[in-house]
Amino acid sequence: MSKPVITLWSDANFFSPYVMSVYVALQEKGLPFSLKTVDLNRGDHLKTDWKGFSVTRRVPLLEVDAFELGESSAITEYLDERFAPPQWERLYPHSLENRALARQIQAWLRSDLMPIREERSTDVIFGGAKKPALSEAGRQSAEKLFSTAEKLLAHGKPNLFGEWCIADADLALMLNRLVIHGDEVPERLADYAGFQWQRASVQRYVALSAKRAG
Protein backbone atom coordinates (compact mmCIF):
# COMPACT_ATOMS: atom_id res chain seq x y z
CA MET A 1 0.00 0.00 0.00
CA SER A 2 1.41 3.38 -0.99
CA LYS A 3 1.89 6.00 1.68
CA PRO A 4 -0.73 8.77 1.71
CA VAL A 5 0.32 12.24 0.64
CA ILE A 6 -0.51 14.57 3.53
CA THR A 7 -0.54 18.38 3.45
CA LEU A 8 -1.36 20.73 6.31
CA TRP A 9 -2.34 24.31 5.54
CA SER A 10 -1.51 26.93 8.17
CA ASP A 11 -1.74 30.67 8.61
CA ALA A 12 1.44 32.37 7.40
CA ASN A 13 2.56 33.41 10.92
CA PHE A 14 1.92 30.03 12.59
CA PHE A 15 -0.14 31.78 15.27
CA SER A 16 -3.25 29.60 14.96
CA PRO A 17 -3.96 27.46 18.04
CA TYR A 18 -6.03 25.17 15.85
CA VAL A 19 -3.24 24.64 13.35
CA MET A 20 -0.99 23.88 16.31
CA SER A 21 -3.36 21.16 17.49
CA VAL A 22 -3.27 19.42 14.09
CA TYR A 23 0.47 19.96 13.67
CA VAL A 24 1.08 18.36 17.08
CA ALA A 25 -1.22 15.47 16.16
CA LEU A 26 0.68 14.77 12.94
CA GLN A 27 3.99 14.95 14.79
CA GLU A 28 2.76 12.59 17.50
CA LYS A 29 1.58 10.13 14.85
CA GLY A 30 4.97 10.29 13.17
CA LEU A 31 3.30 10.97 9.83
CA PRO A 32 5.33 12.72 7.12
CA PHE A 33 3.52 15.76 5.78
CA SER A 34 4.05 18.93 3.80
CA LEU A 35 3.31 22.29 5.40
CA LYS A 36 1.82 25.08 3.31
CA THR A 37 0.64 28.52 4.34
CA VAL A 38 -2.05 30.95 3.33
CA ASP A 39 -1.84 34.64 4.31
CA LEU A 40 -4.94 35.45 6.35
CA ASN A 41 -3.96 39.10 6.76
CA ARG A 42 -4.10 39.57 2.99
CA GLY A 43 -7.35 37.65 2.77
CA ASP A 44 -5.85 34.93 0.59
CA HIS A 45 -8.04 32.34 2.34
CA LEU A 46 -11.09 34.09 0.88
CA LYS A 47 -9.93 33.75 -2.71
CA THR A 48 -11.67 31.10 -4.78
CA ASP A 49 -8.42 29.62 -6.03
CA TRP A 50 -7.29 28.65 -2.51
CA LYS A 51 -7.59 24.94 -1.80
CA GLY A 52 -9.69 25.44 1.33
CA PHE A 53 -12.15 27.93 -0.11
CA SER A 54 -14.82 25.31 -0.74
CA VAL A 55 -14.28 23.64 2.68
CA THR A 56 -14.39 26.23 5.49
CA ARG A 57 -12.25 29.13 4.16
CA ARG A 58 -10.27 28.76 7.38
CA VAL A 59 -7.14 27.07 8.63
CA PRO A 60 -6.25 24.40 9.41
CA LEU A 61 -7.00 22.50 6.26
CA LEU A 62 -5.76 18.93 5.97
CA GLU A 63 -5.31 17.11 2.69
CA VAL A 64 -4.82 13.35 2.67
CA ASP A 65 -4.48 12.32 -0.95
CA ALA A 66 -7.71 13.65 -2.53
CA PHE A 67 -9.56 14.01 0.79
CA GLU A 68 -9.85 17.51 2.30
CA LEU A 69 -10.97 18.29 5.85
CA GLY A 70 -11.24 21.41 7.98
CA GLU A 71 -11.83 22.13 11.69
CA SER A 72 -9.05 21.00 14.00
CA SER A 73 -10.94 18.66 16.32
CA ALA A 74 -12.56 16.92 13.33
CA ILE A 75 -9.10 16.53 11.84
CA THR A 76 -7.49 15.08 14.96
CA GLU A 77 -10.35 12.61 15.39
CA TYR A 78 -10.00 11.60 11.75
CA LEU A 79 -6.25 11.13 12.11
CA ASP A 80 -6.70 8.93 15.16
CA GLU A 81 -9.12 6.69 13.28
CA ARG A 82 -7.36 6.69 9.91
CA PHE A 83 -3.92 6.08 11.43
CA ALA A 84 -5.02 3.99 14.36
CA PRO A 85 -3.10 2.35 17.21
CA PRO A 86 -1.18 0.15 17.64
CA GLN A 87 0.65 0.95 14.41
CA TRP A 88 0.53 4.67 15.15
CA GLU A 89 0.58 6.58 18.41
CA ARG A 90 -2.71 7.33 20.09
CA LEU A 91 -4.08 10.90 20.19
CA TYR A 92 -7.09 10.18 22.41
CA PRO A 93 -7.29 8.15 25.63
CA HIS A 94 -7.81 4.40 25.68
CA SER A 95 -11.16 4.31 27.45
CA LEU A 96 -14.41 5.26 25.75
CA GLU A 97 -15.39 7.60 28.59
CA ASN A 98 -12.04 9.40 28.64
CA ARG A 99 -12.09 9.79 24.86
CA ALA A 100 -15.50 11.42 25.20
CA LEU A 101 -14.20 13.71 27.94
CA ALA A 102 -11.17 14.69 25.84
CA ARG A 103 -13.50 15.66 22.98
CA GLN A 104 -15.66 17.58 25.45
CA ILE A 105 -12.62 19.54 26.62
CA GLN A 106 -11.65 20.32 23.03
CA ALA A 107 -15.16 21.49 22.16
CA TRP A 108 -15.34 23.64 25.30
CA LEU A 109 -12.00 25.33 24.62
CA ARG A 110 -13.10 26.14 21.07
CA SER A 111 -16.56 27.45 21.91
CA ASP A 112 -16.22 29.18 25.31
CA LEU A 113 -13.83 31.55 27.12
CA MET A 114 -14.14 34.15 24.37
CA PRO A 115 -12.88 37.06 26.53
CA ILE A 116 -9.59 35.22 27.07
CA ARG A 117 -9.27 34.46 23.38
CA GLU A 118 -9.96 38.10 22.51
CA GLU A 119 -7.85 39.76 25.22
CA ARG A 120 -5.00 37.23 25.12
CA SER A 121 -4.76 36.36 21.45
CA THR A 122 -2.02 33.95 20.44
CA ASP A 123 0.36 36.73 19.40
CA VAL A 124 0.98 36.81 23.17
CA ILE A 125 2.27 33.24 23.02
CA PHE A 126 3.99 33.17 19.66
CA GLY A 127 4.88 36.83 19.15
CA GLY A 128 5.57 38.14 22.64
CA ALA A 129 2.82 40.78 22.44
CA LYS A 130 1.85 42.70 25.57
CA LYS A 131 -1.80 43.50 26.25
CA PRO A 132 -3.72 45.65 28.74
CA ALA A 133 -4.93 44.15 32.01
CA LEU A 134 -7.84 41.77 31.71
CA SER A 135 -11.28 43.33 31.72
CA GLU A 136 -13.89 42.19 34.21
CA ALA A 137 -15.20 39.78 31.58
CA GLY A 138 -11.67 38.55 31.02
CA ARG A 139 -11.11 37.97 34.76
CA GLN A 140 -14.38 36.07 35.04
CA SER A 141 -13.45 33.95 32.05
CA ALA A 142 -10.04 33.24 33.57
CA GLU A 143 -11.62 32.17 36.86
CA LYS A 144 -13.91 29.84 34.93
CA LEU A 145 -10.91 28.37 33.12
CA PHE A 146 -8.99 27.92 36.37
CA SER A 147 -11.90 26.33 38.23
CA THR A 148 -12.62 23.86 35.45
CA ALA A 149 -8.96 23.00 34.83
CA GLU A 150 -8.32 22.46 38.54
CA LYS A 151 -11.18 19.95 38.67
CA LEU A 152 -9.89 18.18 35.57
CA LEU A 153 -6.42 17.94 37.10
CA ALA A 154 -7.48 17.21 40.69
CA HIS A 155 -5.87 13.76 40.40
CA GLY A 156 -2.45 15.44 40.56
CA LYS A 157 -1.05 13.74 37.46
CA PRO A 158 0.87 15.64 34.78
CA ASN A 159 -1.64 14.74 32.04
CA LEU A 160 -5.42 14.97 31.95
CA PHE A 161 -6.01 11.24 31.84
CA GLY A 162 -2.77 9.79 33.16
CA GLU A 163 -1.49 9.51 29.60
CA TRP A 164 -0.85 12.32 27.15
CA CYS A 165 -3.65 13.15 24.71
CA ILE A 166 -4.26 15.92 22.22
CA ALA A 167 -6.60 17.69 24.68
CA ASP A 168 -3.55 18.28 26.92
CA ALA A 169 -1.94 20.38 24.18
CA ASP A 170 -5.17 22.34 23.67
CA LEU A 171 -5.73 23.03 27.37
CA ALA A 172 -2.09 24.00 27.88
CA LEU A 173 -2.33 26.52 25.06
CA MET A 174 -5.40 28.16 26.59
CA LEU A 175 -3.66 28.42 29.97
CA ASN A 176 -0.47 29.72 28.36
CA ARG A 177 -2.34 32.66 26.88
CA LEU A 178 -2.26 33.89 30.49
CA VAL A 179 0.90 32.24 31.83
CA ILE A 180 3.21 33.46 29.07
CA HIS A 181 1.71 36.96 29.19
CA GLY A 182 2.49 37.14 32.91
CA ASP A 183 -1.04 37.09 34.28
CA GLU A 184 -1.63 35.50 37.65
CA VAL A 185 -2.35 31.79 37.24
CA PRO A 186 -2.59 29.15 40.00
CA GLU A 187 0.79 27.48 40.42
CA ARG A 188 -0.54 23.98 39.78
CA LEU A 189 -2.03 25.04 36.46
CA ALA A 190 1.03 27.05 35.42
CA ASP A 191 3.20 24.00 36.12
CA TYR A 192 0.88 21.80 34.08
CA ALA A 193 0.92 24.22 31.15
CA GLY A 194 4.70 24.53 31.32
CA PHE A 195 5.15 20.75 31.40
CA GLN A 196 2.90 20.25 28.39
CA TRP A 197 4.64 23.06 26.50
CA GLN A 198 7.97 21.22 26.65
CA ARG A 199 6.64 18.27 24.67
CA ALA A 200 8.75 17.88 21.52
CA SER A 201 5.81 18.10 19.12
CA VAL A 202 4.66 21.38 20.71
CA GLN A 203 8.14 22.87 20.71
CA ARG A 204 8.49 22.13 17.00
CA TYR A 205 5.41 24.26 16.33
CA VAL A 206 6.65 27.04 18.63
CA ALA A 207 9.90 27.03 16.64
CA LEU A 208 7.96 27.60 13.40
CA SER A 209 6.41 30.83 14.68
CA ALA A 210 9.71 31.95 16.19
CA LYS A 211 11.50 31.37 12.88
CA ARG A 212 8.85 33.32 10.98
CA ALA A 213 9.06 36.19 13.49
CA GLY A 214 12.85 36.22 13.21
Side-chain angles (χ1 to χ4, degrees):
M1 181 181 297
S2 61
K3 292 183 178 179
V5 177
I6 302 174
T7 302
L8 172 62
W9 285 87
S10 169
D11 62 297
N13 293 326
F14 301 107
F15 279 12
S16 169
Y18 312 116
V19 171
M20 191 194 91
S21 188
V22 176
Y23 181 94
V24 167
L26 288 164
Q27 290 282 335
E28 294 288 340
K29 287 286 185 185
L31 294 166
F33 65 98
S34 298
L35 188 61
K36 295 183 179 181
T37 62
V38 59
D39 194 324
L40 306 185
N41 292 330
R42 293 192 319 201
D44 290 350
H45 59 303
L46 302 177
K47 296 178 180 178
T48 56
D49 60 347
W50 179 55
K51 185 72 103 169
F53 182 83
S54 61
V55 183
T56 62
R57 305 182 193 182
R58 305 200 297 183
V59 294
L61 174 73
L62 184 76
E63 297 178 71
V64 180
D65 294 329
F67 178 64
E68 299 170 357
L69 185 66
E71 299 303 312
S72 58
S73 57
I75 294 172
T76 55
E77 289 183 40
Y78 165 76
L79 289 172
D80 218 27
E81 293 184 22
R82 170 76 184 268
F83 304 99
Q87 185 175 355
W88 286 277
E89 293 297 318
R90 186 183 298 275
L91 298 177
Y92 289 88
H94 284 75
S95 81
L96 176 64
E97 289 74 16
N98 284 346
R99 286 198 302 275
L101 287 172
R103 293 183 179 109
Q104 173 184 282
I105 292 166
Q106 287 186 297
W108 172 60
L109 292 170
R110 285 156 171 75
S111 62
D112 201 351
L113 308 172
M114 182 58 75
I116 296 177
R117 288 187 278 151
E118 289 180 345
E119 297 179 32
R120 296 293 180 265
S121 53
T122 53
D123 58 351
V124 164
I125 296 176
F126 301 119
K130 291 300 179 184
K131 308 285 186 178
L134 289 171
S135 66
E136 180 59 28
R139 289 193 294 272
Q140 290 179 6
S141 191
E143 287 304 317
K144 183 178 184 179
L145 170 63
F146 299 156
S147 175
T148 303
E150 285 173 337
K151 289 176 183 176
L152 291 169
L153 295 165
H155 49 61
K157 297 176 182 178
N159 300 314
L160 283 164
F161 303 105
E163 55 181 333
W164 181 88
C165 75
I166 192 64
D168 282 300
D170 293 340
L171 179 57
L173 186 142
M174 182 61 77
L175 288 166
N176 272 333
R177 291 173 185 266
L178 300 165
V179 174
I180 291 175
H181 186 264
D183 296 295
E184 188 173 343
V185 176
E187 183 177 5
R188 167 75 182 95
L189 300 183
D191 289 346
Y192 163 81
F195 175 77
Q196 296 297 331
W197 214 243
Q198 293 309 308
R199 197 168 182 89
S201 56
V202 174
Q203 281 298 299
R204 291 188 188 106
Y205 187 80
V206 172
L208 289 174
S209 57
K211 182 178 180 182
R212 183 56 62 97

